[in-house]
Amino acid sequence: MSKKIRTEAVDYLFRAILSLKDKEECYTFFEDICTINELLSLSQRFEVAKMLREKKTYLEIAEKTGASTATISRVNRSLNYGNDGYDMVFGRLGDEKKEETENRK
């Protein structure tokens, strides 16, 4: 991780995010801290990463998400050469889905 983002202010923000208890609290907090466009951009990148991991083509991703090829390339670069943050979270979300399925049985 870049040393430029490891600041007290970023630490405080991350502690705030980690204090959120559920999806509704996330909506409340993120609607206050982000503009609608910032939040939609973040969610778009996350969707692009998910689709790239599913081996979708750039064209399929662009059509479904509205993301530019530049955005898709940037996310792809993060997936291939980044800190594995996307994969860490995808793994956890996959575990949640497994737990939800098992709890319904």
Side-chain angles (χ1 to χ4, degrees):
M1 181 180 294
S2 172
K3 290 180 182 178
K4 291 180 183 179
I5 70 165
R6 286 190 176 265
T7 66
E8 279 186 46
V10 174
D11 283 350
Y12 192 55
L13 172 63
F14 289 165
R15 285 198 320 269
I17 292 167
L18 290 168
S19 78
L20 300 171
K21 293 179 177 68
D22 57 31
K23 189 173 17 174
E24 282 309 310
E25 286 190 3
C26 288
Y27 273 104
T28 299
F29 180 71
F30 280 95
E31 284 180 31
D32 281 351
I33 199 167
C34 296
T35 65
I36 292 170
N37 285 338
E38 288 168 336
L39 194 51
L40 293 175
S41 291
L42 290 171
S43 64
Q44 181 187 63
R45 285 185 219 140
F46 195 62
E47 182 71 10
V48 166
K50 178 177 171 281
M51 293 180 75
L52 284 167
R53 280 295 181 243
E54 294 169 347
K55 305 293 186 202
K56 304 289 186 201
T57 66
Y58 276 35
L59 181 59
E60 290 172 307
I61 295 167
E63 286 176 352
K64 181 164 191 276
T65 67
S68 68
T69 55
T71 295
I72 298 168
S73 287
R74 191 167 38 251
V75 171
N76 195 40
R77 218 173 12 260
S78 291
L79 285 170
N80 292 320
Y81 305 107
N83 296 313
D84 297 325
Y86 282 114
D87 289 328
M88 174 182 61
V89 171
F90 291 146
R92 290 179 185 167
L93 290 174
D95 291 345
E96 281 180 17
K97 283 187 180 182
K98 287 177 194 172
E99 286 175 17
E100 286 174 15
T101 303
E102 289 172 5
N103 289 337
R104 282 188 228 144
K105 291 180 183 177

